[in-house]
Amino acid sequence: MSDRNARTTPTIDNPQREAPRRVIEWAQAPPIPPGATGVVTIDLSQIRANWRALAKRVAPAGCGAVVKADAYGLGAARVIPALYHAGCRNLFVATLAEAKAALAYAPGATVYVLDGILPGAARELAGIGARPVMASIEEARAWAALAPPDSPAPPAALHVDTGLNRLGLSEDEFAALISDAELMRRLDIALIMSHLACADEAQHPMNREQLDAFKRMRSKLPKARASLAASDGLMLGKEFHFDLVRPGYALYGGQASPQRVTPVEPVVRVSARILQVHEVPAGGRIGYSATYRAASPRRIATVAAGYADGVFRHASASNETPGGAVAVRGKLAPIVGRVSMDLITVDVTDVGDPAPARGDFVDLIGPDLPLEAVGLSARTIGYEVLTRLGTRFYRHYVDIGD
Ligand SMILES: *Cc1c(COP(=O)(O)O)cnc(C)c1O
């Protein structure tokens, strides 16, 4: 996850990946309300298929699922039961509120809380049966304090930092923790985990350094299960799988590793409607601050999607700087001018017959516009594209069974 913004591939013009095999066709299928300006279509059966494909790839290691941030913006209430149905029993969320929701959607699942124990929150976490991922000795103490005399506190996980310097105990702190016999007696550490900084670059030397540090630490807690890899890490090979992998993005169809094609397919399509098509003469200005000037007569479609719907304002285009695009019947039509709150303007001059018309749908994310390309064109990553999807579009869940 080191330098994703600097990726050179894929780009809008050069997606460098084979087109998704399973074209998501259902965006325009009924029952879309006539007043819906856009549709987010989410294929729950494909999320299950993606989970199964990853589970198969890492077996005999186990495969969990990261469902934080409302299942990466796709709707935890629908995604979590689908994953549970596929056999997924280990869920990772960020917060206490997300853990509560996850346990309501998947009673019986083991839910790990990546943000650990906030001051004063231990009792409530234990009360709902969630497992905090403890990242400090203070958190371990707060959890141990819940233990009745002579028995350990409920199972929890331990986050050790192997070089990301984000969350977790350093190797020294870890050594101090495990040498505190009194404290350790009151803890039941079911999982030891760490997180990789550069797993999206298979050749990066940090992968090996972090792997070695993780092996050193986990060997001192032989009874705990161990977890190191997320979506990109699990593509680094068996050595990185340990007992449990924790993919998020890949379940949602994301290609986290630019060098290795993860065996998953897209699950989300986002389409929005054209409100108006008009001809702009040569010299005409388009959008706020008149940042775009038509060099020749252009046909411009105004689409009912803006930054409130998750179209990044960084996807705006001036004459000097190209921005994002939408896909119209398999052709990319560039955004021209500024992205505003509710609207974008796209140049559909070259789309061909029949000319795009009022009420037609265009894709913001879809078979011709993979998440990675959409992220790149807004100077961000597909992860942020997903988690910023707005709530205004009609949400259509598809499930064609196993
Ligand atoms: C978000 C997160 C994951 C999932 O990462 P993906 O790249 O989406 O697979 C795994 N582990 C930790 C600690 C995370 O914060």
Side-chain angles (χ1 to χ4, degrees), residues 231-270:
S231 296
D232 45 10
L234 71 84
M235 295 304 292
L236 294 176
K238 279 233 154 312
E239 265 191 305
F240 288 81
H241 295 165
F242 293 92
D243 301 307
L244 183 67
V245 298
R246 319 181 299 269
Y249 190 53
L251 298 175
Y252 312 113
Q255 291 290 338
S257 165
Q259 293 137 347
R260 319 232 159 120
V261 178
T262 310
V264 296
E265 299 290 334
V267 307
V268 60
R269 181 171 188 167
V270 179

Side-chain angles (χ1 to χ4, degrees), residues 322-349:
V326 304
V328 193
R329 295 197 304 269
K331 273 213 148 147
L332 294 186
I335 293 176
V336 288
R338 289 263 165 93
V339 173
S340 53
M341 190 183 295
D342 317 310
L343 301 169
I344 48 176
T345 34
V346 300
D347 185 337
V348 294
T349 316

